[in-house]
Amino acid sequence: GVYTSSWVAPKSDVHSQQRFFYMGTNGEINVDQAHRGCTVGQDGKPFASVNPLFMKYTPTNGYFSGQSAYGVKSFENFIDACAACNNGTKKPDDFDDGSIATVHTTFQGTAILEAGRMSLDADGQPMDLIYESDTEMHPTEIKAHTF
């Protein structure tokens, strides 16, 4: 199969504006995932600029308490995977299940981003992601689309 990718966008600090806005009767939530930001305004509470899941910077009872935030968890999972591979209890392929980012689990997204970069470099020329078959998940080639 052939899938086509191209980008039509002005110069910007991000490739996609990933936003969500909610306005309620007693407050609002404004999420700007492209900039890793989340702001919350509520009646009777100060305006807050937060990213509640990436890292917890404030201590609990005087101690670090950000262990379960994904900013810490992702590093912990990577270190655990390296240790398991080094001690022989796991192989790198064992992590292609999506438990951590690997070449296998990020291949398609990386190919799409690369096709976008190639398209931008070629003044908006659409790019085709070439696959060996309709069931194959990894593209074998990225090439300029022929009209």
Side-chain angles (χ1 to χ4, degrees):
V2 176
Y3 299 85
T4 302
S5 172
S6 68
W7 290 78
V8 178
K11 290 192 182 293
S12 176
D13 58 335
V14 295
H15 282 300
S16 63
Q17 296 292 335
Q18 304 162 17
R19 297 175 186 262
F20 170 81
F21 180 76
Y22 168 79
M23 174 68 77
T25 55
N26 295 314
E28 69 178 46
I29 300 172
N30 189 354
V31 177
D32 180 2
Q33 185 61 22
H35 297 97
R36 295 283 188 204
C38 176
T39 57
V40 178
Q42 291 178 280
D43 290 347
K45 295 185 179 178
F47 184 77
S49 181
V50 298
N51 188 345
L53 301 176
F54 184 74
M55 186 61 165
K56 183 177 183 301
Y57 296 100
T58 56
T60 300
N61 298 322
Y63 296 98
F64 174 76
S65 59
Q67 301 90 316
S68 62
Y70 78 82
V72 172
K73 208 68 172 154
S74 60
F75 286 106
E76 179 184 353
N77 291 344
F78 177 74
I79 299 294
D80 289 348
C82 290
C85 289
N86 286 340
N87 69 27
T89 58
K90 296 264 189 179
K91 302 182 307 297
D93 295 4
D94 293 334
F95 299 100
D96 287 341
D97 61 359
S99 57
I100 64 172
T102 66
V103 169
H104 176 76
T105 63
T106 60
F107 201 92
Q108 280 188 310
T110 301
I112 291 167
L113 291 171
E114 177 64 7
R117 185 200 61 77
M118 291 170 66
S119 176
L120 289 170
D121 289 349
D123 294 323
Q125 167 71 44
M127 296 292 155
D128 293 334
L129 299 174
I130 310 301
Y131 294 84
E132 286 185 13
S133 71
D134 289 341
T135 59
E136 180 60 40
M137 296 298 290
H138 296 144
T140 57
E141 184 181 1
I142 302 170
K143 66 179 187 179
H145 181 74
T146 303
F147 291 96

